Amino acid sequence: MVKYKEDWYKLYHVHYQQYPDDCMENIYWLEKAVQADFCNPLYTGVKIETEKQWEKYRYLFQMHLNLKLIEQHLRLGRTYDKKAAYFYDAPWKEEYLRNLEKCISCYRAGLYYWQEAKLWAEKANVKEFLFLYIPEKQYWEDERERIKTGELDYGKMLEREIARVEKIRDELIAMKSKSY
């Protein structure tokens, strides 16, 4: 029975060749995980001995889920992304514009999850957790630290991608239908 965050997260998986349907499926599983309750600390697969460890685990897990949602939205957005607008694209301009709107929508959704991930990372960065680590989830700790230092900044990347796609969209809008 799939009931807890950890259960929903186990359904998330990345294919070698990931198609849009795979991304949407993963987004669904991750969204369900974000909304679900945590399981009992005994069943997390992590050694939790204190309430502080449990608290930090929950913050790190929420942060990690939001980062995975960003990655999936980026992958989904890239399937609709047109890297450049060429003069010979005029006959298909309307289709390209629809795809670029989907792309921008995916990237903007990623911005929402970035704000959430930063919020959870901040909660896991408070002074009382300074020397409290969860060794089994070192990857999550690394993500938290990279957000703290600014080394991991999906916000900057998403803003750059949105600006690039909007520029391409504007070029397509300005294109004359008989320009090829």
Side-chain angles (χ1 to χ4, degrees):
M1 184 168 131
V2 179
K3 185 175 179 179
Y4 299 109
K5 281 185 189 304
E6 292 80 2
D7 299 330
W8 288 108
Y9 182 67
K10 286 177 187 172
L11 295 172
Y12 160 79
H13 57 284
V14 177
H15 300 275
Y16 177 70
Q17 180 81 28
Q18 193 155 2
Y19 296 104
D21 287 345
D22 300 323
C23 291
M24 288 186 270
E25 177 188 359
N26 278 335
I27 289 169
Y28 176 78
W29 299 138
L30 292 167
E31 280 287 340
K32 287 293 206 177
V34 166
Q35 297 166 4
D37 291 330
F38 287 95
C39 70
N40 187 298
L42 288 172
Y43 306 114
T44 61
V46 174
K47 186 175 180 182
I48 308 259
E49 296 175 332
T50 66
E51 287 183 33
K52 286 294 177 198
Q53 284 178 322
W54 176 234
E55 186 178 359
K56 186 169 185 182
Y57 167 83
R58 293 190 320 251
Y59 295 157
L60 289 173
F61 194 15
Q62 285 291 104
M63 176 203 68
H64 181 70
L65 288 172
N66 281 288
L67 290 175
K68 290 299 166 193
L69 279 161
I70 294 167
E71 290 172 11
Q72 290 302 306
H73 277 88
L74 277 167
R75 285 180 184 203
L76 184 59
R78 284 187 189 122
T79 61
Y80 300 110
D81 198 341
K82 176 135 178 65
K83 302 297 181 193
Y86 300 103
F87 71 94
Y88 50 79
D89 290 334
W92 303 281
K93 178 169 94 169
E94 295 305 317
E95 183 64 32
Y96 286 137
L97 288 171
R98 277 193 296 277
N99 282 344
L100 290 177
E101 287 304 318
K102 291 175 189 175
C103 175
I104 290 171
S105 174
C106 290
Y107 292 164
R108 286 200 175 125
L111 282 174
Y112 167 77
Y113 293 115
W114 174 243
Q115 295 304 318
E116 288 292 310
K118 284 193 320 186
L119 175 76
W120 290 108
E122 262 181 54
K123 289 182 178 189
N125 273 329
V126 295
K127 191 176 183 179
E128 60 194 272
F129 297 138
L130 195 56
F131 294 103
L132 179 65
Y133 297 104
I134 301 174
E136 295 90 348
K137 297 297 179 183
Q138 184 61 46
Y139 182 68
W140 296 358
E141 293 278 4
D142 293 345
E143 289 175 334
R144 177 199 53 77
E145 186 64 24
R146 291 177 61 216
I147 291 171
K148 178 182 168 187
T149 62
E151 185 182 335
L152 177 61
D153 190 350
Y154 278 121
K156 189 190 302 183
M157 181 179 55
L158 287 163
E159 290 290 347
R160 183 183 65 234
E161 291 298 307
I162 290 169
R164 181 187 57 76
V165 172
E166 286 175 343
K167 182 177 177 248
I168 294 168
R169 182 189 61 193
D170 294 343
E171 289 173 13
L172 282 168
I173 289 171
M175 200 177 279
K176 303 277 190 275
S177 63
K178 299 290 182 188
S179 64
Y180 62 99

